[in-house]
């Protein structure tokens, strides 16, 4: 062992620091390696052969492969990651909107609008009652004027 290594083991705190630093660098190496492998598969601009080539290069010669990949294609890694995050967020937002009812007005909103229309005198009390029954039974909305006028007596 060299003098520097003995120095690290002569002081226990320095030995712990050295071990933690090596462990941290080892973990960071695997994080970088996995991020590059994910980026290889995420990139739609690469053909299948190019993806296979980069993957073989990073697996067979990991240090050289990772460093060459970061130098050659590292500039767009962040852009691809941001694009994927945005796409996931948009898909999540669309799912939430769909699950929340897609912006369909509630029965209370429709009844409130019906009350305002009746208060203005645009519909009669009988029309209001029929439209209210349709809203409460869920067979139509107040915005469909044709659905309230369809009665069998006509």
């Amino acid at each position: 062992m060299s003098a520097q290594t003995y120095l690290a083991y002569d002081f226990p705190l320095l030995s712990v620091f050295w071990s933690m630093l090596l462990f941290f660098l080892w973990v960071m190496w695997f994080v970088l390696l996995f991020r590059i492998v994910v980026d290889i598969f995420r990139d739609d601009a690469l053909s299948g052969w190019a993806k296979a080539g980069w993957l073989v290069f990073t697996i067979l010669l990991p240090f050289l492969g990772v460093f060459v990949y970061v130098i050659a294609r590292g500039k767009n890694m962040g852009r691809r990651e941001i694009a994927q995050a945005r796409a996931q967020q948009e898909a999540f937002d669309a799912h939430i909107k769909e699950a929340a009812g897609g912006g369909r007005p509630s029965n209370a909103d429709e009844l409130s609008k019906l009350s305002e229309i009746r208060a203005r005198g645009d519909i009669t009390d009988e029309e209001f009652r029929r439209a209210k029954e349709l809203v409460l039974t869920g067979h139509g909305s107040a915005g469909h004027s044709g659905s309230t006028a369809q009665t069998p007596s006509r």
Side-chain angles (χ1 to χ4, degrees):
M1 285 208 229
S2 67
Q4 282 184 330
T5 307
Y6 284 126
L7 178 66
Y9 288 104
D10 286 341
F11 299 99
L13 189 60
L14 192 57
S15 175
V16 170
F17 174 73
W18 184 250
S19 298
M20 288 177 60
L21 178 67
L22 288 177
F23 181 72
F24 176 75
L25 291 174
W26 183 71
V27 169
M28 289 306 298
W29 168 252
F30 280 107
V31 168
L32 180 63
L33 184 64
F34 288 135
R35 285 196 59 180
I36 287 176
V37 170
V38 167
D39 188 64
I40 289 170
F41 286 108
R42 178 185 300 151
D43 191 7
D44 293 332
L46 286 176
S47 68
W49 288 105
K51 288 180 183 183
W54 276 113
L55 196 59
V56 166
F57 191 41
T58 56
I59 289 175
L60 293 181
L61 300 171
F63 289 110
L64 184 62
V66 165
F67 292 133
V68 169
Y69 188 85
V70 168
I71 291 169
R73 303 185 46 82
K75 184 177 183 181
N76 292 326
M77 281 179 66
R79 292 182 186 146
R80 285 187 290 272
E81 189 169 346
I82 289 171
Q84 183 196 20
R86 282 187 183 147
Q88 285 180 339
Q89 185 66 39
E90 289 171 2
F92 178 74
D93 291 344
H95 176 70
I96 293 297
K97 287 179 184 175
E98 179 182 325
R104 186 175 155 260
S106 67
N107 289 346
D109 292 336
E110 291 187 20
L111 289 175
S112 165
K113 290 177 186 176
L114 277 174
S115 296
E116 291 174 13
I117 293 171
R118 183 180 65 170
R120 286 192 312 241
D122 292 340
I123 59 173
T124 65
D125 288 338
E126 180 60 27
E127 290 172 329
F128 173 76
R129 185 187 60 75
R130 284 187 296 191
K132 184 173 82 169
E133 287 175 11
L134 284 173
V135 167
L136 292 177
T137 58
H139 292 296
S141 66
H144 300 304
S145 60
S147 63
T148 59
Q150 296 175 359
T151 57
S153 62
R154 287 187 180 197

